[in-house]
Amino acid sequence: MPEPNLDTFSRAIIRAFPELETSSFRLMTAGWHSTAVDVDDRLVFKFPRHKVAERALLSEAALLALIRPCLSMPVPAMSIHEGPPLFSRHEKLKGDHLLAARYEELPEHARQRLGNDLGRFYAELHRLDLNQMATAGAEPVGTWQAPSAIRAKALPLLAPRLLARAEATLMEYESLPPDPHGIIYGFFDGHGWNMAFDHARMRLNGLYDFADSGIGALHQEFIYSNFIAPDLTARIVAAYEIATGRVLDRQRISILTGVHRLSELAELVDDPDHVPAMIRSVAEWFAAPLQRMAISRVRGDRR
């Protein structure tokens, strides 16, 4: 797939759907896998950027067909146009990203509703049969950089004040036993960039981008909401525990969050376009230990 070009994409869409000829087209994002095109603020078309992305898009559509009937949370109803070029189509979930600054503006009742909604989403998703999801195309989630690679590539880029905390987290990670709740099919991408959040109503309208969903350790599912706020993760975890009867290890979630950010930095160390953002992500986590403790503190926690 060439570099994103709105004219190229719009022509491909109109060839397949001539009724959209007079529509308004807008590039949304050029992600790791696909470029998304918004049409009339009503439809979303995703164009894979390479062959690996094509396989991911086909798998995502197949998985969503199984997932949607089992969830209370809205997710895309995706169809595939074989092309060429190959692309997907789904109705747009109305809403915007939910980032940290906007979460901080939410009142207590909206934060708690969001935590409850996401806790229910994960509880419902984790009930799906592993064998059925694997047959539909779910694969093991991507592995992280080894601790030795993180020490060699990521730690030298950190400010001295962060090194001790990063090294301590790596040592804790190396001592972790297998996940006590085993493996599940999960989303593994539940950060605010994949949320359709209605800021006016302060309500989540849906989740999207299941290309990174797959089979992995249960506790890893709960690290991504820390990109929004540890407070939100705490609420999700508490709601999930009530819905499932499982007791989650907050410290394990905190360790995994730190190692994930270090791993991303190590993986992208040779990419100057992304290294500054990765360093900021690591610094935000390790520079605020008191904030990270919020994962284990929730008002109304019944444990």
Side-chain angles (χ1 to χ4, degrees):
M1 176 64 63
E3 285 302 304
N5 182 292
L6 183 57
D7 288 340
T8 300
F9 296 145
S10 61
R11 286 197 298 268
I13 293 169
I14 291 169
R15 281 198 302 271
F17 303 98
E19 67 275 16
L20 299 177
E21 184 174 7
T22 60
S23 294
S24 173
F25 296 82
R26 177 177 62 87
L27 281 177
M28 295 177 67
T29 57
W32 296 109
H33 288 301
S34 298
T35 299
V37 178
D38 179 299
V39 178
D40 293 335
D41 196 33
R42 181 175 61 87
L43 299 170
V44 174
F45 295 82
K46 290 172 63 175
F47 290 81
R49 297 171 63 82
H50 40 69
K51 290 296 183 183
V52 172
E54 284 188 7
R55 293 194 294 272
L57 189 63
L58 292 170
S59 175
E60 181 182 11
L63 293 170
L64 282 168
L66 289 177
I67 293 167
R68 288 184 68 251
C70 302
L71 297 180
S72 306
M73 178 72 65
V75 297
M78 185 178 290
S79 60
I80 296 292
H81 175 72
E82 297 289 347
L86 182 145
F87 59 85
S88 68
R89 164 181 164 151
H90 65 266
E91 290 190 9
K92 184 177 181 179
L93 296 170
K94 295 300 180 70
D96 297 312
H97 299 158
L98 178 62
L99 305 184
R102 297 300 300 272
Y103 180 80
E104 291 299 321
E105 298 172 356
L106 294 177
E108 168 66 21
H109 74 275
R111 294 186 185 195
Q112 191 58 48
R113 179 171 59 198
L114 178 60
N116 290 343
D117 289 347
L118 287 169
R120 181 170 57 251
F121 162 74
Y122 289 120
E124 293 171 348
L125 193 67
H126 295 175
R127 294 189 189 112
L128 295 173
D129 182 76
L130 271 180
N131 291 329
Q132 185 181 22
M133 300 310 293
T135 299
E139 297 181 349
V141 295
T143 57
W144 296 350
Q145 296 282 302
S148 58
I150 291 174
R151 289 186 173 99
K153 298 178 181 179
L155 295 197
L157 300 179
L158 300 184
R161 63 190 175 85
L162 303 177
L163 284 175
R165 292 173 186 154
E167 178 58 40
T169 298
L170 284 173
M171 292 177 65
E172 290 177 301
Y173 176 68
E174 291 172 311
S175 300
L176 284 178
D179 193 302
H181 294 303
I183 61 172
I184 44 84
Y185 170 77
F187 187 27
F188 296 107
D189 215 15
H191 50 65
W193 293 280
N194 289 336
M195 294 183 180
F197 192 81
D198 184 334
H199 289 279
R201 297 173 61 240
M202 297 183 292
R203 183 182 292 274
L204 183 60
N205 286 341
L207 295 167
Y208 54 88
D209 197 353
F210 281 72
D212 290 324
S213 70
I215 297 169
L218 184 141
H219 278 80
Q220 184 180 329
E221 181 80 283
F222 298 94
I223 70 175
Y224 303 95
S225 53
N226 281 325
F227 282 113
I228 303 172
D231 175 78
L232 176 58
T233 299
R235 296 171 192 273
I236 294 169
V237 166
Y240 181 87
E241 289 179 324
I242 293 170
T244 65
R246 295 179 173 131
V247 177
L248 301 188
D249 183 341
R250 273 80 165 158
Q251 180 63 14
R252 189 182 190 102
I253 294 170
S254 179
I255 293 168
L256 291 175
T257 300
V259 174
H260 174 248
R261 297 193 185 193
L262 289 168
S263 176
E264 286 195 325
L265 175 56
E267 184 176 350
L268 295 171
V269 70
D270 296 321
D271 185 342
D273 292 334
H274 290 95
V275 165
M278 295 299 102
I279 292 176
R280 286 195 300 272
S281 176
V282 171
E284 286 169 1
W285 184 251
F286 287 111
L290 293 179
Q291 182 185 30
R292 288 187 282 121
M293 288 174 59
I295 296 176
S296 62
R297 297 199 310 268
V298 158
R299 287 180 288 274
D301 193 339
R302 302 182 187 181
R303 296 176 67 236

